[in-house]
Amino acid sequence: MEFRIERGALAEAVAWAARVLPVRSPVPVLGGLLLDMESGDGDGTGVGTGAGRLRISGLDYEASARIDVEAEALSPGKVLVMGRRLLDICKVLPDSPVECAVEGSRFTVSGDGARFGLSVLPLDDYPALPPLPQVRGAVDAELFAAAVADVAVAAGRDDTLPALTGIRLGLDGDTMTLAATDRYRFAVRTVPWKATAPGESADVLVSARRLTEIARSLGRSGLVSVALDAGSAGFEHAGMRTTVRLLEGRLPRHEKLFAMEDPAEAVVDRARLTEAVKRVSVVADGDSPVQMTFSRADASVTLRAGYEDDVASQRLPAALEGAEELTVAFNPGYLADALATFTGPSLRLRLMGAGQRAMITDEADTGSHRHLLMSVRAQLA
């Protein structure tokens, strides 16, 4: 096996495939990346003389990744090497064409005078990559990445409740719904998608951490193919293919939770509110709340945080309907996370009162992006 490739292309491909490698594993070969070089246009001797395809793949018990890149094939073959070591080498290689080859029991990487050798792992012990499940349709890569990022902030971090660490991926007709909750907040995004067949539907739970990594890595242009079966989800885009095992269980449905009867509604500038929350939170120790007092008469909201002598406040313009005055309080981190997922100029807050639900949307509220927070009961000095 021997091939030549640009350092940048090799480094990016190795980094992408190495995302799924376990940090520690009792099975040493699972720390490996499989490099499979297919020959280009040959001359009939088995020695490639043109562009070929280098496939790099890795897996652990939960996920797999595979990427195809162009490389000049000098001779075809396969090799399994320690993935993270190869990644470290790629990071320090000179920025020049790289030549890689198997020499006996060693895989060599060289370029611009630098040369590295890596031990070869036994190919026979390496498990086969799981196949891509049935493709259900495709979604715009940029919209998908943004939607995953918007809901992932609400996913739980407690591994003792695995279902709450996931993102619900719901497919229904021409709509994809993503949702996540940790019981104290609930984020939902919907995006359009193209189903492979009419009436295509699914409702599965994918690790929020894994799905975030996948969405970030697949690129921001073109379409991402989405594949699902009973046990796994797969995503494919521009020569990159990845699978991840589904989580067991289901998230609670959000429809009834999001239905709010006669709430007060406030409209406030998004950027100014985001900055104000960040500013007053400086004195909020731990999870001590940020209190927001809305006044219809003054057309304002006053934010307060802190206790005793360590306090901060800021007043902003805000339009309130449905109440003369209303005070609510939120965990500052949860509130900041929610505000950061919106991009419109103004936000609409639907408020039920202290200790009750509060809904944040863009002012127009098209229903495509909603973030529910639980208000806390708090009295600040």
Side-chain angles (χ1 to χ4, degrees):
M1 175 194 189
E2 187 175 2
F3 62 89
R4 189 178 292 116
I5 188 172
E6 290 296 324
R7 187 207 67 85
L10 179 63
E12 289 179 8
V14 168
W16 193 85
R19 293 176 306 104
V20 301
L21 298 181
V23 177
R24 295 180 182 84
S25 173
V27 184
V29 293
L30 290 184
L33 285 180
L34 178 64
L35 280 63
D36 183 357
M37 185 68 234
E38 290 190 356
S39 64
D41 297 326
D43 57 5
T45 65
V47 178
T49 59
R53 186 203 66 188
L54 173 64
R55 173 169 290 173
I56 304 177
S57 51
L59 76 162
D60 69 2
Y61 295 113
E62 302 295 331
S64 72
R66 193 190 82 186
I67 183 169
D68 293 346
V69 292
E70 289 187 358
E72 182 182 353
L74 303 178
S75 67
K78 296 182 180 181
V79 66
L80 184 67
V81 296
M82 292 304 297
R84 297 190 187 280
R85 179 60 59 83
L86 179 59
L87 178 59
D88 290 340
I89 290 171
C90 289
K91 290 177 179 178
V92 299
L93 281 169
D95 192 10
S96 65
V98 177
E99 193 163 309
C100 303
V102 175
E103 299 176 358
S105 62
R106 177 180 294 171
F107 178 69
T108 62
V109 183
S110 58
D112 196 24
R115 183 178 173 87
F116 297 86
L118 278 174
S119 299
V120 171
L121 299 174
L123 277 172
D124 292 343
D125 295 341
Y126 195 65
L129 257 67
L132 191 71
Q134 178 188 353
V135 175
R136 303 297 189 92
V139 61
D140 180 84
E142 185 174 9
L143 283 178
F144 180 63
V148 171
D150 287 344
V151 303
V153 297
R157 307 292 190 268
D158 185 357
D159 289 334
T160 62
L161 300 170
L164 295 184
T165 66
I167 290 177
R168 176 191 170 224
L169 189 62
L171 307 177
D172 186 10
D174 59 358
T175 301
M176 172 185 286
T177 300
L178 298 101
T181 181
D182 62 0
R183 296 181 298 178
Y184 306 104
R185 45 190 172 165
F186 207 134
V188 175
R189 273 290 311 267
T190 60
V191 295
W193 95 303
K194 299 179 180 179
T196 54
E200 192 73 68
S201 64
D203 194 340
V204 299
L205 198 58
V206 185
S207 161
R209 179 179 66 83
R210 295 285 193 183
L211 192 58
T212 299
E213 290 177 350
I214 291 168
R216 285 175 178 170
S217 70
L218 286 176
R220 295 303 178 101
S221 62
L223 295 176
V224 173
S225 295
V226 180
L228 296 172
D229 62 20
S232 63
F235 304 88
E236 189 170 27
H237 173 65
M240 296 175 283
R241 173 184 290 188
T242 186
T243 64
V244 60
R245 184 179 296 178
L246 299 178
L247 296 177
E248 295 183 358
R250 291 182 178 272
L251 294 186
R253 304 293 294 190
H254 65 273
E255 289 84 355
K256 290 184 179 180
L257 188 63
F258 280 23
M260 303 173 72
E261 187 175 349
D262 297 325
E265 296 193 14
V267 175
V268 61
D269 181 272
R270 178 192 58 81
R272 295 187 67 179
L273 178 59
T274 301
E275 286 300 315
V277 170
K278 186 185 302 183
R279 190 168 292 125
V280 302
S281 295
V282 169
V283 298
D285 293 330
D287 293 332
S288 64
V290 169
Q291 180 176 286
M292 304 170 69
T293 300
F294 294 88
S295 170
R296 183 174 182 178
D298 294 340
S300 69
V301 57
T302 301
L303 287 79
R304 297 184 177 87
Y307 294 100
E308 298 180 348
D309 294 329
D310 298 324
V311 294
S313 66
Q314 183 164 359
R315 187 167 178 255
L316 302 173
L320 180 67
E321 297 291 337
E324 292 302 317
E325 186 172 286
L326 186 67
T327 298
V328 290
F330 301 102
N331 174 298
Y334 292 175
L335 180 57
D337 285 345
L339 297 178
T341 65
F342 291 90
T343 57
S346 300
L347 297 177
R348 182 177 300 276
L349 282 70
R350 291 185 171 88
L351 308 166
M352 299 297 290
Q356 301 187 60
R357 292 165 293 157
M359 178 74 73
I360 304 175
T361 68
D362 284 315
E363 182 180 359
D365 188 15
T366 62
S368 64
H369 184 191
R370 295 185 170 190
H371 199 114
L372 189 78
L373 288 176
M374 290 302 299
S375 169
V376 298
R377 298 183 182 276
Q379 296 295 326
L380 304 184

